Amino acid sequence: MRPLGAWIEPYPDGIYIPAADVWIDPSTPKPRALVTHGHSDHARGGHGAVWATPETLAIMDARYGAQQANPVAYGESIRMGDVEVSFVPAGHVLGSAQIVLDHAGERIVVSGDYKRRSDPTCPPFEPQKCDVFITEATFGLPVFIHPDTGDEIDKLLAALHANPDRCVLVGAYALGKAQRVITELRLRGHDDPIYIHGALQRLCDLYAEHGVPLGELRPATGVAKAEIAGHVVLAPPGALNDRWSRRLPDPITAMASGWMRIRQRAVQRNVELPLIISDHADWHELTETIQEIAPKEVWVTHGREDALIHWCMTRQIKARALDLAG
């Protein structure tokens, strides 16, 4: 009997679908690519043609220049060779999608990166019943249990209000995390201007253009210290401890990341206020998603494969690791 998923071929630089002559999230330029979302470990420039959600294509245009773009809306199905392809929400960042592949009587779902908790910047993850679920495992260890996002935002606001002569400098990735922190602050009633590093401006503008309200944002560069005191400042993680941050009024250094669960990570980055806010599924979300989808097989990539594979095998779910770049 032919094994499940024999019609797709995983390689270190991506997943190839011969029946559709297309790659999924290739890390090197390919003639035809399906892209789950805009982060650079999944979306690269230089492909001959790209199929993705309109939002992901806009992100790729902003980062890599104009693409040979083929937009696919959520829920829309397209035929590529002998394969039916559709994109459904992944809940990771703006435009993120799971890619659903139907061929030869089988359904394979490539999750890309995903999370299960609410995020005001993107549609929530939609579970898809399938034969093979290809899942990420960024936080695929039982130690990674993310706390309530609102509680983490409350910690940020408490530090801000307790130190009116200082600012809170939050390290956040330019795509997804920065915009999510901003919208979560707005949901908690923080309507004051938020100052941002110049490296965040382009993607914040893109989110606003796609209907994600961010409130008043101001450039943090060239502003007097007295003006920024008592405010939240967002910057890429790499700017937390460089010369740029020394212009700020005695900043309380924070970092928004699921990796802040590991205390040593916070210490290494000189983070005073670790905020455990992640755009990836934690251990409970990974395992509960597999239980909900009930696939015959689970293929694991992008993270801590061993623990999740062991969890699957102890529940009589066949599982294997995919050695993909990124």
Side-chain angles (χ1 to χ4, degrees):
M1 178 182 290
R2 193 172 84 152
L4 278 175
W7 47 277
I8 78 169
E9 300 175 358
Y11 293 95
D13 58 343
I15 297 171
Y16 180 55
I17 318 296
D21 188 25
V22 70
W23 291 76
I24 296 178
D25 287 354
S27 59
T28 56
K30 303 294 182 185
R32 289 153 53 93
L34 304 171
V35 176
T36 59
H37 67 282
H39 281 143
S40 60
D41 55 339
H42 294 258
R44 306 290 175 94
H47 303 307
V50 179
W51 286 260
T53 65
E55 297 87 352
T56 293
L57 291 170
I59 291 165
M60 293 181 71
D61 285 352
R63 290 188 147 185
Y64 306 121
Q67 308 293 305
Q68 290 293 108
N70 299 274
V72 184
Y74 289 133
E76 179 183 353
S77 292
I78 58 173
R79 192 79 182 175
M80 304 187 79
D82 294 329
V83 182
E84 197 78 19
V85 180
S86 57
F87 288 65
V88 297
H92 178 55
V93 296
L94 180 70
S96 61
Q98 305 168 76
I99 297 177
V100 182
L101 308 166
D102 288 291
H103 175 67
E106 296 176 4
R107 169 168 285 191
I108 295 177
V109 174
V110 181
S111 74
D113 291 339
Y114 70 97
K115 67 176 177 293
R116 299 303 303 269
R117 54 192 68 200
S118 175
D119 180 341
T121 71
C122 62
F125 178 94
E126 294 182 7
Q128 304 293 307
K129 295 289 185 181
C130 57
D131 298 292
V132 177
F133 184 50
I134 302 179
T135 179
E136 67 136 317
T138 303
F139 292 111
L141 288 173
V143 68
F144 290 113
I145 307 299
H146 304 326
D148 179 76
T149 303
D151 291 346
E152 297 300 286
I153 295 297
D154 286 345
K155 282 167 50 178
L156 191 166
L157 290 172
L160 183 71
H161 297 151
N163 298 275
D165 297 329
R166 305 174 69 184
C167 69
V168 178
L169 172 61
V170 184
Y173 298 117
L175 171 57
K177 188 64 62 63
Q179 298 79 21
R180 185 177 174 206
V181 169
I182 292 167
T183 55
E184 295 284 0
L185 281 165
R186 301 311 189 195
L187 287 175
R188 306 303 273 193
H190 184 74
D191 296 324
D192 292 352
I194 294 174
Y195 289 82
I196 62 172
H197 188 285
L200 306 184
Q201 187 69 58
R202 180 174 52 176
L203 288 172
C204 285
D205 290 344
L206 188 149
Y207 266 64
E209 290 163 8
H210 283 82
V212 179
L214 300 177
E216 184 181 356
L217 304 180
R218 295 179 182 176
T221 303
V223 179
K225 288 186 177 183
E227 182 179 331
I228 293 183
H231 289 279
V232 175
V233 182
L234 266 71
L240 290 183
N241 297 302
D242 71 5
R243 209 176 340 175
W244 179 87
S245 66
R246 295 173 200 159
R247 309 168 184 170
L248 302 175
D250 190 18
I252 300 168
T253 303
M255 175 80 179
S257 170
W259 295 110
M260 292 297 99
R261 169 65 70 186
I262 306 300
R263 180 168 177 78
Q264 188 59 29
R265 291 281 187 116
V267 172
Q268 288 170 351
R269 288 183 173 269
N270 298 315
V271 170
E272 182 178 348
L273 179 65
L275 302 171
I276 306 170
I277 301 174
S278 178
D279 286 329
H280 295 269
D282 68 6
W283 176 255
H284 285 333
E285 292 167 359
L286 290 168
T287 56
E288 289 168 4
T289 297
I290 293 169
Q291 288 177 316
E292 181 177 5
I293 292 172
K296 296 173 184 174
E297 293 189 17
V298 174
W299 300 358
V300 186
T301 185
H302 283 86
R304 307 288 185 141
E305 295 101 340
D306 291 349
L308 194 57
I309 289 171
H310 176 75
W311 181 92
C312 289
M313 299 296 276
T314 59
R315 286 155 181 81
Q316 289 73 54
I317 303 169
K318 189 175 180 181
R320 58 177 282 204
L322 300 185
D323 296 320
L324 303 181

